[in-house]
Amino acid sequence: MTNQELSSKILELVGGRGNVNSATNCMTRVRIHVKDDGAIQDAALKNVEGVLGLVHDNPGYVEVVVGPGKCRKVADIYKDMGIPVSAESGDAGVSASSDWKANKAAIKGAQKESKIKSMLKTLGEIFVPLIPGVIAAGICSGLATLLAQAVPTYAENSVLAIIYNLLSLINTAFMTYITAWAGYRAAEKFGGTPILGGMVGMITTLGNIDAISKIVGLYNEAQPLDAILRAGRGGVLAVIIGVWVMCKIEKAIRSKMPDAVDICFTPILTLIITLIPYILIVMPITGLISTGLCKVVELVAMSTNPVVRMVAGYLGAALFLPMVAMGMHHGLVALYTVQLEAFGYVTLYPALAMAGAGQVGAAIALFIKARKVRNQRLESVIGGALPAGILGVGEPLIYGVTLPMGKPFFTAGLGAGFGGAFVMLMQVAATTWGPSGLLGIFVMTAGPNGAAMSIVYFLIGLVISYIMGFILTWFGIKEQDVAAA
């Protein structure tokens, strides 16, 4: 199908244009809100050519998995048709859980919406629009690091020097202003004015914060990084909380402000009233939280004890996809960001990236068994999803193959744990999060081993995860189970 044909077919099977309230996209899915949930034809949607999976576990909301790139094109077609994107309605009810019958226990747990789970989900949704920038910056940082290590005299070559500086510009453009991007997006999510949220985020990193800290006696001249209050203190955690407070203040002021002067006085009053508690209370407190999170990561993922690192890597990789299925993985985004701001790299993500490789190994085992028992449908699904899985796009395999069958979802995770243990043992670190599989090699360039060896260790980890995911699935899944899938 062409993208236009796929868009039309999906629209037809969710009840038509008149039944759709809004449509937007994430990295691999088209997210659709509808008026009448009963009009959504789940079975027919799953069988549409180009649809890789379906997540429909909330009334009035469905996620159609069509893959990276294509999901944006389909969403753009809907936008051109006049279907609203609406950040507020488009994000409501987002869940990473699935309604596959073979995974009923996980679904029941996923459908219990706790306050903590809702909070973690909100964090994840704030960062979803930032992911393309995160990935671009991280890849450019990795390539720049590789270039500098491979050609130490690159600055003497005008072409290489320009390439290095271009790569560095792209990385710096995101990392320098990550708090501004997070503030802008948080204001969108919380119903405030986005540019004011971006300004709060930008203010967080400016030198005037140091001046204020010195005036109130919170600055540490001897060890500025240990200051209770300093520029950047609290990072994105501070920004998200501060913008939430800002949105409450803005709404309260706007409700009382006369329309004639609203555009002039509401923004300035909102910022002034917000900044006093934000700078003096929120930034110091979230700074302590950020420092604590980094200390925990250092004690576990960066431990000098190799056994501790291996256990942490195994558990992280093995449990990551069940966390995704229960919608609990969103909180990791905040941890990644805190570590990236503090150290310039992320140590936990390389291990978690092994989870998708375990799914690849499991899928290969299932493919061979499907061919033996002549299950052509499953063989076709795996054949179509496997290349994407190898590249690092795991959702087609997860939602189309392993999760519907149940057991392979867990044997794949257990197999991935071995790869996670290896990369954590070798202290592989990433310049960002997002890309995994073969697409992740150029961001796995940080850590103590140098860029080239970090990439080599990451690739070895992938192979280990492929092999162990294959072995555990091959011996753990019976042929009759594959025949009936």
Side-chain angles (χ1 to χ4, degrees), residues 305-347:
N305 187 327
V307 175
V308 172
R309 294 203 305 273
M310 289 178 67
V311 171
Y314 185 92
L315 292 177
L319 297 176
F320 179 61
L321 290 182
M323 287 177 65
V324 172
M326 292 186 292
M328 298 298 292
H329 64 300
H330 299 294
L332 292 171
V333 174
L335 182 58
Y336 296 154
T337 309
V338 166
Q339 196 179 19
L340 190 61
E341 287 182 310
F343 304 124
Y345 53 80
V346 182
T347 57

Side-chain angles (χ1 to χ4, degrees), residues 365-390:
L366 294 173
F367 182 85
I368 296 172
K369 286 181 178 285
R371 177 163 289 185
K372 288 180 65 177
V373 300
R374 301 184 184 280
N375 185 336
Q376 294 181 347
R377 185 202 66 81
L378 182 59
E379 185 180 338
S380 176
V381 171
I382 296 173
L386 197 55
I390 293 172

Side-chain angles (χ1 to χ4, degrees), residues 196-197 199-201 203 238-239 241-251 253 266-283:
L196 298 184
M199 290 174 70
V200 170
I203 286 168
V239 172
I241 295 173
V243 171
W244 179 81
V245 172
M246 184 208 78
C247 292
K248 297 291 184 182
I249 293 172
E250 182 184 7
K251 290 175 183 177
I253 293 174
T266 297
I268 185 63
L269 289 175
T270 296
L271 287 173
I272 290 173
I273 295 172
T274 298
L275 287 180
I276 295 172
Y278 177 65
I279 294 173
L280 299 178
I281 299 174
V282 175
M283 287 183 65

Side-chain angles (χ1 to χ4, degrees), residues 22 33 85-93 185-192:
S22 67
H33 282 261
V85 175
S86 180
E88 277 300 312
S89 63
D91 286 332
R185 173 56 186 155
E188 284 186 325
K189 178 63 183 172
F190 298 136

Side-chain angles (χ1 to χ4, degrees), residues 119-145:
M119 180 184 69
L120 294 177
K121 187 168 66 178
T122 298
L123 279 175
E125 290 165 4
I126 287 172
F127 281 94
V128 164
L130 306 184
I131 289 177
V134 171
I135 293 173
I139 290 176
C140 287
S141 175
L143 290 173
T145 302

